[in-house]
Each structure stands twice: as C-alpha cells, then as structure tokens.
Amino acid sequence: MKENKQYQTETVAPAQPFLNAEKEQMEQLQRKSRELGEATQMSAIEGVSVLTGMSPGVQAQLNELAAIKAAQKAEQEPKKEIEEVKPQVSDISSEVQAQLDELAALKEAEKNKQEEQEKDPEYVKFAKPYKFEGKEYKGIKLEFDEMTGADILEAEEEFIQTKTQTAAQTPLKELSKGYLAFFAARACAQPVDFILGLDGKSFAKITRKAQSFLLAED
C-alpha cells in the first residue's frame, strides 16, 4: 500500500508544474490579446487570432457571424418599439374615427335638413351663401301666410318713415322694391338690412315673391 501511495504522489507531482505553466500561458495570451486590442482597436477575437495565428478564413467567418448577430439584434429592437407603441396608436385611431363618424353624422343631418327646407314652397334659396351678423345663410323662409294686417301696416309705416322721399313718389307701394323689402323682412323676422344686403339675384327673387303674395286675388 505504501508503494502505491508513493507512486501516485510521484505521478501527480511532476504534472502540477505543467498544469500551472498551461494556466499561466493562457492568462498571458488573454492579457496580450487585451493589450493588442487596446493598442489597435481590435476585438478580443481578432487579438486572439493574431496571437494564435488563426487563419484569415476562420477569422472572416467569425467576423461574418458577429455581423449577422448584430444585424439581428438591431432588427429586433425597432420591432419591439413598434409593438409597444401599437396599442397607443390603435387607441388614438379609435378616438379619431369616432369624431369623424360624429362629424359625418352632423353633416348628413344638416344636408337632410337643407333638402327638406328647399322642398318648402315658402323657402327661398339664395344664389350664393350669405353672411349676416356672423351667421351664414343659404336661404330663408318667407312666412307670408303667418302675417297679419298689423304686420302689413307696420311694414308700410316703416317704409314711409325710412324712405320718405321714395314713399312719397310711389303711388302703389306693392310695385315698389323698397316697400317689398320691408314687407319681406317682416315675413322672415329679420331686419330690413338683411334683405337689402342680399345679392341682386336673391333680392329680386324675394321681392317678386312678396309682390306675388300682395297682388294675389285669391
């Protein structure tokens, strides 16, 4: 038994210096690789390649592999950011779509209302949109049938007081565009300036309607 133990001791002892030398050699190789990399801006792999004499072909393959991995990583990062932002974009799109739908519904309702108004025989559509006191009008409803005798007389008195000279020279007021403007203003519950500010075509259309009402026999 003593002989075997002695043999093992003798066998391990000479091998220990060899292992220590291998370890020291590896550490030196790693240290030199780092120093070479710092001096020449080489990567750790390139430093080892130079120190160990690695073939250019193998080194090229390693470089290609590193480039592929870097490209894959760069490609994955934007995708991750897009996935994180996507729910927020989706939420915003839903809100915007709801607002667009509401706006479209309002426009459709306004269009339907305008079409219904234009079917009314008492409604007069203007030749072009008309702005008065900050509001836009596309036409106006003349409610002649709702007027009373008092309304007709008040329109005449206002015409005489405002257009004194013109009224004095007008024997038949129903033929005067001036009086018809005052009469039409009463029919649509607007000041006379509303009628006088219309474009010529729309003004003529309204005063003709007023005259037709006043001169109608039935």
Side-chain angles (χ1 to χ4, degrees):
M1 293 295 291
K2 289 183 179 180
E3 292 178 357
N4 291 339
K5 185 175 181 181
Q6 184 178 1
Y7 174 76
Q8 291 177 356
T9 304
E10 291 175 353
T11 304
V12 173
Q16 189 63 43
F18 176 77
L19 293 175
N20 291 339
E22 286 287 328
K23 181 178 180 182
E24 185 179 352
Q25 187 178 1
M26 287 296 297
E27 290 176 351
Q28 290 178 357
L29 178 62
Q30 292 175 353
R31 185 171 60 257
K32 289 182 179 180
S33 174
R34 286 195 298 271
E35 292 174 356
L36 182 61
E38 291 173 359
T40 62
Q41 296 184 347
M42 287 184 180
S43 65
I45 295 176
E46 290 172 337
V48 172
S49 174
V50 171
L51 293 172
T52 59
M54 186 181 294
S55 68
V58 174
Q59 182 62 48
Q61 290 178 355
L62 289 174
N63 292 340
E64 185 178 357
L65 179 60
I68 291 172
K69 288 184 177 180
Q72 289 175 344
K73 182 179 178 182
E75 184 180 358
Q76 289 173 357
E77 288 179 354
K79 287 183 179 179
K80 183 179 179 181
E81 293 177 359
I82 291 172
E83 290 300 323
E84 291 175 352
V85 175
K86 189 175 180 181
Q88 300 177 6
V89 174
S90 178
D91 293 342
I92 293 173
S93 297
S94 299
E95 293 176 3
V96 172
Q97 186 61 49
Q99 292 176 355
L100 291 174
D101 292 342
E102 183 178 356
L103 180 60
L106 290 173
K107 286 185 176 181
E108 185 66 22
E110 182 65 24
K111 180 182 177 182
N112 293 336
K113 181 180 177 182
Q114 185 67 25
E115 289 177 352
E116 288 297 321
Q117 284 181 333
E118 292 177 7
K119 292 177 182 178
D120 191 333
E122 294 183 336
Y123 181 82
V124 178
K125 185 179 179 180
F126 298 152
K128 58 183 179 181
Y130 173 55
K131 285 188 176 181
F132 182 76
E133 295 183 349
K135 185 177 179 180
E136 185 176 278
Y137 297 83
K138 294 182 179 180
I140 199 73
K141 185 176 181 179
L142 300 171
E143 299 182 289
F144 294 126
D145 292 335
E146 302 298 323
M147 294 181 70
T148 64
D151 291 325
I152 296 174
L153 291 176
E154 287 174 5
E156 185 175 350
E157 289 174 5
E158 190 177 359
F159 169 62
I160 293 172
Q161 292 173 4
T162 307
K163 305 291 183 181
T164 305
Q165 186 175 354
T166 304
Q169 298 174 353
T170 306
L172 186 61
K173 295 179 179 57
E174 287 80 2
L175 300 178
S176 169
K177 292 288 186 184
Y179 170 66
L180 294 172
F182 282 88
F183 182 73
R186 286 270 173 175
C188 64
Q190 292 284 357
V192 70
D193 288 342
F194 177 90
I195 304 298
L196 296 176
L198 288 168
D199 63 276
K201 188 174 182 180
S202 299
F203 177 82
K205 187 188 293 187
I206 282 180
T207 52
R208 280 199 304 270
K209 276 188 170 288
Q211 188 179 72
S212 296
F213 174 80
L214 290 169
L215 296 177
E217 294 182 358
D218 50 15

